Amino acid sequence: MMQFLQKYLHEYQIHRNRLVTKDGHCNIEFGHVSYRKCFAFLFDFWTTFVEIRWRYLLVFSTIFFIGSWFIFGLLWYWIAQSNMDLWWQTPPPDHMPCVNNVDGLITAFLYSLETQTTIGYGVRLITPHCAGAIILLVIQIIIGTITNSVVCGVILAKMSLPKKRSKTITFSKTAVICMKNGSLCLVIQVANLRKTLLIGSQIYGKLLRTTVTPEGETIIMDQVNIDFLVDAGKDNLFFICPMTLYHVINKTSPFFEMAVDTLHQQDFELVVFLEGTAESTSTSFQVRTSFIPREIQWGFAFLPIVSRTKEGRSPTSKARENCKCGDLHVEPGPPSDPSACASVEQLSEQH
C-alpha cells in the first residue's frame, strides 16, 4: 500500500512539473494578475463560455434560465397585484384579469416559464385588457428567444471544437533513440484513429529547457526547434496509417551532447505538435504531447505495427492493397539487429 501511494505521489509530482501533459493540456498558472484584468473574460463572454467545462456551462445555464423565469414571474406577480388579480384581494364585480388563473406567486412563475419556453398555454393565458401585460409578454418572448439562441450556439460551438478531433490522434507514450537509415535518430510514433484524412498536416517539436546565456541571464523556458521527418516527407502527409517520426541527431541537434548514461539525468521537456485540417469539417486543429527524459528509451526500437493484406481489395483497382493497422504499441521493442545496439553505443561514445 505504501509503495502504491509513493508511486502515485511520484507520478502526480511529475504530472504537475510538466509544462504540457501527455494529452496536450498546458499546465500553466497565471500569477500577479489584478482583479481588473479578470473582467476581460466577461467582456469576451462568448470565448469564455465556449472554453469552460461542460459541468460549469450546464450549471450556469440552469441558474440563468431559472433566474430569468423567476424574475419575470415576479413582474407578472406585480402586474397581477396591481390589477387586483390575486386570490387574497377583493376585485370589483365587473373585474377583468390581465392574465387568467394567475392569482399567486407560484402561478405567476409557471406562467413565466410557459411564456419563455413557448410550450403552450393551458388554463393560464393573457387577456387583451392590460397594455402593460402585453408589453411585458413581448419583452419576455424577445429576451427568451435571444437567450435560447445564445445557449444553443454555445453548446453547438463546444460540440464542434477542433480539439475534439484531436482526441482521435494518439502519440506513443514513449520515444526511442535508435539507428535509422545509418544515423542516430529520436523516433516517435503517431496514429490517426479515424479513416478520414488530415489536410495539410505539419509536424514539428520544441525542446524546452533552462539555459544560461553568456551574459549570465537565466532563461527559464528556452525553446529550441526540433525538426521531425517521415519517410513520406515533412509537409502534406498522407496520414492514413500510423507513421513513425524521426529526428536526426547531428551536430545541430540539441540531443547531440547527450549520451545513454546521461540522458535521464537531463532536465528538459520535448513538446511535439501536429497541425492539420479535418477533412470532414474543414476545421484546423493542433495536437500536442510531451516527453520528459525518463520517457525516452535509448537503444530500443518500435515494433512494426503496419502490415499489408490482400483481403478487401478495392474493386476498381486490383493492384491496390489495403493497409492493415494494428494497435499503436506504447512500449518499444528491442532492435531486431543486435549490431544496432552496438552502433548506438559507439555513437553515444563519439558524442
Side-chain angles (χ1 to χ4, degrees):
M1 183 65 182
M2 291 299 299
Q3 293 180 354
F4 175 78
L5 182 60
Q6 291 177 357
K7 183 179 179 181
Y8 174 79
L9 294 177
H10 180 66
E11 295 292 338
Y12 178 74
Q13 186 65 26
I14 293 176
H15 176 78
R16 291 196 60 184
N17 293 336
R18 305 178 78 113
L19 179 64
V20 179
T21 60
K22 298 297 290 186
D23 56 356
H25 291 87
C26 295
N27 190 18
I28 59 176
E29 182 178 352
F30 295 99
H32 304 287
V33 179
S34 61
Y35 290 101
R36 294 181 180 180
K37 298 294 183 179
C38 297
F39 288 101
F41 295 98
L42 297 179
F43 294 130
D44 188 16
F45 72 93
W46 179 262
T47 306
T48 301
F49 279 103
V50 170
E51 292 182 349
I52 62 175
R53 297 182 180 273
W54 276 103
R55 54 179 176 267
Y56 299 135
L57 177 61
L58 295 178
V59 170
F60 290 152
S61 301
T62 303
I63 294 175
F64 182 80
F65 278 120
I66 295 178
S68 62
W69 298 338
F70 182 74
I71 291 175
F72 277 102
L74 293 178
L75 295 177
W76 288 113
Y77 181 83
W78 174 72
I79 289 180
Q81 183 181 14
S82 302
N83 197 50
M84 302 184 68
D85 296 340
L86 301 181
W87 63 271
W88 48 269
Q89 293 178 322
T90 305
D94 56 347
H95 175 71
M96 297 297 296
C98 293
V99 181
N100 291 330
N101 297 309
V102 175
D103 55 0
L105 184 60
I106 296 179
T107 55
F109 175 80
L110 293 176
Y111 179 75
S112 173
L113 187 151
E114 295 171 0
T115 300
Q116 191 163 333
T117 57
T118 64
I119 60 176
Y121 295 125
V123 296
R124 287 175 290 274
L125 70 159
I126 193 170
T127 61
H129 304 291
C130 299
I134 297 175
I135 295 175
L136 181 60
L137 177 68
V138 174
I139 293 175
Q140 185 173 5
I141 291 177
I142 294 175
I143 293 178
T145 303
I146 295 175
T147 54
N148 290 336
S149 301
V150 171
V151 173
C152 291
V154 171
I155 293 176
L156 291 177
K158 285 185 68 65
M159 294 177 61
S160 60
L161 281 177
K163 64 181 181 181
K164 300 301 181 183
R165 178 62 176 90
S166 64
K167 300 297 183 181
T168 55
I169 305 295
T170 178
F171 286 88
S172 57
K173 292 184 179 180
T174 58
V176 299
I177 296 179
C178 62
M179 297 297 299
K180 185 176 180 63
N181 299 329
S183 301
L184 190 65
C185 298
L186 174 71
V187 183
I188 300 172
Q189 286 184 334
V190 59
N192 179 17
L193 302 182
R194 289 189 178 274
K195 294 183 179 180
T196 54
L197 300 180
L198 302 181
I199 304 172
S201 301
Q202 295 182 352
I203 299 174
Y204 61 96
K206 295 285 186 180
L207 185 68
L208 310 178
R209 59 184 179 181
T210 302
T211 58
V212 181
T213 62
E215 295 78 13
E217 180 185 359
T218 301
I219 303 178
I220 301 298
M221 191 174 61
D222 186 20
Q223 302 184 20
V224 182
N225 294 328
I226 303 294
D227 295 327
F228 283 96
L229 302 174
V230 293
D231 295 331
K234 184 179 179 181
D235 299 330
N236 300 325
L237 305 176
F238 187 52
F239 199 2
I240 191 173
C241 280
M243 296 187 305
T244 301
L245 318 176
Y246 62 93
H247 164 72
V248 180
I249 301 178
N250 50 26
K251 293 183 178 180
T252 61
S253 173
F255 297 97
F256 185 77
E257 299 178 355
M258 302 180 189
V260 61
D261 55 346
T262 62
L263 175 63
H264 291 176
Q265 300 174 4
Q266 303 292 326
D267 185 15
F268 66 85
E269 184 174 348
L270 175 62
V271 185
V272 183
F273 303 86
L274 189 149
E275 297 177 351
T277 302
E279 183 183 32
S280 55
T281 59
S282 299
T283 55
S284 300
F285 66 94
Q286 182 186 81
V287 190
R288 298 178 297 270
T289 190
S290 67
F291 299 90
I292 56 179
R294 59 173 293 186
E295 297 171 346
I296 300 177
Q297 304 295 327
W298 193 299
F300 288 79
F302 285 105
L303 295 174
I305 58 174
V306 180
S307 61
R308 292 185 178 274
T309 177
K310 294 183 179 181
E311 299 177 358
R313 289 182 178 179
S314 173
T316 58
S317 177
K318 295 183 179 180
R320 176 184 170 187
E321 292 183 338
N322 292 337
C323 215
K324 182 180 180 181
C325 305
D327 295 334
L328 188 63
H329 294 275
V330 298
E331 292 296 337
S336 57
D337 187 3
S339 62
C341 287
S343 300
V344 170
E345 293 176 358
Q346 292 173 4
L347 286 176
S348 64
E349 293 177 357
Q350 294 176 5
H351 286 186

